Amino acid sequence: MSASSPAGRWSSATLASLLGVQVFQVVLAWSVLTVAGPLATAVVLALGTLPRIAMMSGLTAGLAGRFAAHRLLAVGELGRAALALAAAGALAVSGLDFTGLLLASLLFGLVEAITEPAAGSVPALIADAAGRQRMEALRTTLFRVTVVVGGPLAGLGALLGLSTALIVGGLVFLVSAALFLSLRPRPSDADGTAPAAGHGPAAGMPGPPGADAPKAGEALALPGVRAALICTVLIELGCPGAFGVGTLLLADDRGWGAVGFGVLVGAVGLGTVLAALAPGFARRLRGSGSGLILACVLTAAAMAGLAFSPNLPLAAVLTVVMALAAAAASAATLGVLFSGPRPEALGMVMGVVMAAGALAAPLSYVLVGLVARLANPRAAVAACAVALLAAALVALTDRTLRTATAPEPPTGPQAGLPGDPAAGADASTTDAPHAEAPAEAPADAPADATGEPSADGQPGHLSAKGA
């Protein structure tokens, strides 16, 4: 793939955008903590995730179909650059106050909500079917690289000064915008049809419910569904706060600084990437009650160890384990929900799960910040571990969920076709800190127990996005 080809320019723009997001989020979180303290930091980060709810509900998806996707992305990158450079100027001159940081967080989240639905449409504009598949695979790879190395690089950049790091991030966004603007849609196909431009329902999203679809109460009354939903909410209450706010507060409390926080952000990304790269392991967990219980207990144990870790290297290792186990817990819970309800109930159940996850993740941030203010960061992360233990207890006490077994992986020529929830979806729930992940099948990531679905899923929110 030539760097001057459309696909090469697209990949360079995507990489620059993802790195810029990591720099901005790390610097923003550290700046808020320095200016306003733990609780205010949690509130700012939580409010910054609210525009994603509009994205998940489809309120911002119409823009992706109304405007050319590559131009919409370029405008979004210019908006991010303006935010980063304005914040850098304010920090250099007089320092940002709480109100300015809150506004920056909200605007940055709004830009993401508007542009993210268009991100998946660009490959269809500039490449044929085979090229689109290669570009989507490359986008996933780029995301995995940036969630691992982006945080540490942002932390190292902060050593030069927060305003300097923001200037670098703003310049990176400008490069990304220029590359997106340089793209040109390919000519119409031979049959006279133009390439898809993002119109219609998003790929992988359920269509409108049929006339025979059950109501929410009926869907939640199905065996194991209510318990699985409670587990999902508890995982979302525990993981995003621990990943996005807990790691930040621990880095400050232990004197590890912005560099230490960046390392922990990268460790979260590495854990979700390892989960995504172990499809056989994840497939055995999907729909497995015992796998869910084990993953929740392991996540809780890693969280407790992180809360009292004496040094940064051990904390980073425990964070990797925590993110990996949390992605596995999300995969197991969603596996039950995919395989349990009858097909006509699945859309309703998943709608309730997505809504619960989207609301639980911001609440998780605030609760962690509140506990940290009333007690200390160690107690806040330990409280997240209690939420994961509670999820394991719920799964243990519900017979249907406890005895659930993962379905046999499909074999033969149909194995791995789209629509099979067990077919290699990438994991990430991080709202984790939540990050900018490519849209993938949601089987491994509810909205930020990783991310967004995860983690690699979006938001997930076990996603590295929220960091």
Side-chain angles (χ1 to χ4, degrees):
M1 180 184 295
S2 171
S4 60
S5 67
R9 295 197 300 273
W10 169 85
S11 61
S12 299
T14 300
L15 178 61
S17 177
L18 292 172
L19 286 174
V21 168
Q22 289 285 332
V23 171
F24 186 89
Q25 290 179 337
V26 168
V27 173
L28 175 70
W30 194 259
S31 299
V32 180
L33 180 62
T34 303
V35 169
L39 182 57
T41 301
V43 171
V44 168
L45 295 180
L47 291 178
T49 67
L50 292 182
R52 294 176 191 165
I53 298 178
M55 178 179 68
M56 293 173 60
S57 64
L59 295 179
T60 62
L63 291 174
R66 186 178 297 272
F67 302 102
H70 66 295
R71 293 177 181 171
L72 185 60
L73 288 177
V75 171
E77 296 301 288
L78 289 174
R80 286 170 165 169
L83 282 173
L85 294 175
L91 281 173
V93 174
S94 59
L96 280 174
D97 57 10
F98 174 76
T99 303
L101 291 167
L102 176 60
L103 182 61
S105 179
L106 285 172
L107 290 176
F108 200 83
L110 181 61
V111 170
E112 177 189 356
I114 293 174
T115 59
E116 184 61 29
S121 302
V122 176
L125 290 175
I126 63 175
D128 56 18
R132 288 198 297 270
Q133 292 181 354
R134 290 193 296 269
M135 291 171 68
E136 288 300 334
L138 178 59
R139 185 170 187 245
T140 299
T141 301
L142 292 174
F143 171 75
R144 290 171 177 171
V145 170
T146 55
V147 298
V148 175
V149 305
L153 288 177
L156 290 173
L159 289 178
L160 303 175
L162 297 180
S163 59
T164 302
L166 284 173
I167 291 174
V168 172
L171 294 177
V172 168
F173 284 131
L174 289 176
V175 170
S176 177
L179 290 171
F180 278 129
L181 280 176
S182 71
L183 298 177
R184 293 292 181 268
R186 64 189 177 91
S188 300
D189 293 333
D191 60 0
T193 59
H199 299 280
M205 297 299 292
D212 59 345
K215 297 180 179 178
E218 297 171 345
L220 295 179
L222 297 172
V225 170
R226 191 184 303 272
L229 176 60
I230 294 173
C231 287
T232 299
V233 171
L234 288 171
I235 292 171
E236 290 291 337
L237 282 175
C239 292
F243 292 179
V245 181
T247 53
L248 171 65
L249 300 183
L250 285 174
D252 179 60
D253 184 61
R254 301 298 175 81
W256 298 333
V259 175
F261 174 50
V263 168
L264 295 182
V265 170
V268 171
L270 179 59
T272 58
V273 167
L274 291 176
L277 295 178
F281 170 70
R283 186 178 293 117
R284 292 187 182 92
L285 282 178
R286 291 194 185 99
S288 169
S290 59
L292 168 61
I293 296 169
L294 177 61
C296 287
V297 171
L298 181 58
T299 306
M303 282 183 182
L306 173 64
F308 299 96
S309 175
N311 55 65
L312 181 58
L314 178 59
V317 172
L318 289 171
T319 302
V320 171
V321 174
M322 179 174 66
L324 173 60
S330 297
T333 307
L334 288 179
V336 173
L337 291 169
F338 269 107
S339 59
R342 59 186 188 271
E344 64 270 20
L346 182 58
M348 179 65 70
V349 169
M350 294 311 299
V352 174
V353 170
M354 292 177 66
L359 295 175
L363 180 60
S364 173
Y365 284 170
V366 175
L367 290 177
V368 168
L370 182 61
V371 174
R373 180 178 181 180
L374 297 176
N376 53 62
R378 296 185 301 278
V381 177
C384 294
V386 171
L388 270 294
L389 288 177
L393 183 61
V394 169
L396 186 63
T397 54
D398 185 276
R399 184 178 182 278
T400 301
L401 188 54
R402 182 180 69 250
T403 59
T405 57
E408 290 295 325
T411 58
Q414 298 300 316
L417 287 179
D420 173 15
D426 286 333
S428 172
T429 317
T430 153
D431 214 9
H434 302 29
E436 192 151 339
E440 298 187 18
D444 288 344
D448 286 65
T450 114
E452 343 239 191
S454 209
D456 290 298
Q458 274 232 72
H461 293 271
L462 219 64
S463 85
K465 258 180 167 177

